Amino acid sequence: MLIILGYDGLEYDFVQKHDFKNLKQQSFGKTDLSDFSQPRTIVIWSSFMAGKNLEKEILAKPVMWASKLKPQDTFLKNFKSHFTIDVPGFSYIKEQHDLERKLLKGFFDKKNDVKAFDKCAFDHHKRIKQEFFKELESSKELVFGYFNLADLVGHLSFGLNAKMKIIYQELDDIAKQVQEKYSDSTILIISDHGMKAIGKFGDHSNHGFWSLNRKVDLGNPKPTDFASLISKNFKSV
Ligand SMILES: [Zn+2]
């Protein structure tokens, strides 16, 4: 099985600074986002899945977030059985993320506090986590779980070190459980971009993160380099 843990907004420098070993796995590094004009979530995940830069096409759409790829236009076409959950530009759960945006706006408009925003993020995270682990039992060829906690909580709190450590610890724990239970599988951890602190808040940084549960030398790959590696189950490296 090939397992992808898609961690939106996972910051390389934060993982390094606090030495989250299960996030780093056997090999890890930064991804190179220089082909993109800005580190936009929907653009990078879509390009990652398609194996080509889709920035121009997605920016031309009237509603960027409504953009949706077909399986045959992604690396999924090379797998007999697959499952993805909540991946932007593919299996994205729009109602949930509309609610997140409403609460984010509500925070700045002083209509709700940060707690209501965090609760919404954590409740969704728990649901995704449960469904992801259930699906891992189903012996599909590829299981791709997308978790947006680091990005979402990061936007209002990336400057709060202790709080962000709790978030990263949770993502590290998921990786640990997957590694222990599915040690025969290839496990890729990937982020679209990282985060940088702006006071107590956070904004997208200009590099992503990748790691694999075996020794490989990928250097600083582009998000679009992974589709062919994934299709070959990383046997070519
Ligand atoms: Zn993102």
Side-chain angles (χ1 to χ4, degrees):
M1 183 163 46
L2 200 155
I3 301 168
I4 303 174
L5 281 168
Y7 284 159
D8 204 299
L10 192 79
E11 172 54 48
Y12 175 95
D13 294 337
F14 201 86
V15 171
Q16 266 291 48
K17 188 175 156 199
H18 300 287
D19 194 26
F20 285 103
K21 290 198 168 54
N22 302 301
L23 293 175
K24 285 156 80 172
Q25 306 197 86
Q26 294 280 309
S27 314
F28 69 101
K30 285 181 184 176
T31 61
D32 171 6
L33 303 180
S34 59
D35 284 351
F36 299 93
S37 67
Q38 275 183 48
R40 293 182 180 89
T41 294
I42 178 93
V43 169
I44 299 173
W45 288 114
S46 301
S47 302
F48 165 76
M49 287 203 72
K52 62 178 181 183
N53 189 324
L54 296 175
E55 184 173 55
K56 235 173 116 185
E57 286 94 317
I58 293 175
L59 292 187
K61 288 187 188 291
V63 185
M64 245 188 356
W65 280 93
S67 140
K68 206 166 181 180
L69 291 166
K70 295 188 180 76
Q72 63 264 34
D73 297 326
T74 73
F75 54 68
L76 297 175
K77 68 178 178 213
N78 299 304
F79 294 86
K80 280 193 215 82
S81 54
H82 49 75
F83 172 83
T84 78
I85 187 162
D86 207 14
V87 179
F90 189 73
S91 48
Y92 188 68
I93 304 165
K94 191 175 170 294
E95 305 70 41
Q96 166 65 22
H97 303 295
D98 286 348
L99 181 62
E100 291 162 0
R101 281 199 189 88
K102 197 177 142 203
L103 289 169
L104 184 63
K105 191 174 176 296
F107 170 78
F108 288 108
D109 295 344
K110 299 193 169 35
K111 284 185 184 146
N112 58 260
D113 58 9
V114 68
K115 274 190 188 147
F117 177 76
D118 288 347
K119 185 178 183 306
C120 172
F122 273 104
D123 287 350
H124 180 65
H125 175 78
K126 276 185 218 152
R127 286 193 295 269
I128 297 288
K129 185 176 164 183
Q130 200 177 22
E131 206 168 326
F132 171 71
F133 276 103
K134 198 177 97 198
E135 210 54 48
L136 286 175
E137 306 278 335
S138 71
S139 27
K140 293 205 168 58
E141 282 191 346
L142 182 143
V143 176
F144 181 178
Y146 166 82
F147 299 86
N148 70 341
L149 201 58
D151 177 89
L152 205 55
V153 175
H155 274 292
L156 289 190
S157 306
F158 196 71
L160 306 175
N161 198 53
K163 182 171 174 183
M164 290 314 295
K165 263 181 95 171
I166 296 169
I167 303 294
Y168 276 61
Q169 189 59 58
E170 162 65 10
L171 301 177
D172 189 87
D173 286 345
I174 292 176
K176 184 171 186 250
Q177 280 184 56
V178 173
Q179 288 149 10
E180 283 175 356
K181 225 170 158 191
Y182 302 96
S183 53
D184 293 340
S185 295
T186 301
I187 304 165
L188 170 70
I189 297 176
I190 181 97
S191 77
D192 48 349
H193 52 75
M195 296 297 280
K196 58 185 177 200
I198 312 277
K200 69 175 177 181
F201 301 122
D203 198 5
H204 295 179
S205 68
N206 278 318
H207 50 251
F209 173 91
W210 69 270
S211 76
L212 202 74
N213 64 335
R214 59 186 174 82
K215 285 272 172 215
V216 287
D217 184 12
L218 294 184
N220 296 123
K222 295 175 175 180
T224 48
D225 291 337
F226 286 93
S228 70
L229 296 167
I230 287 166
S231 300
K232 294 173 197 147
N233 200 352
F234 290 87
K235 287 194 174 85
S236 52
V237 286

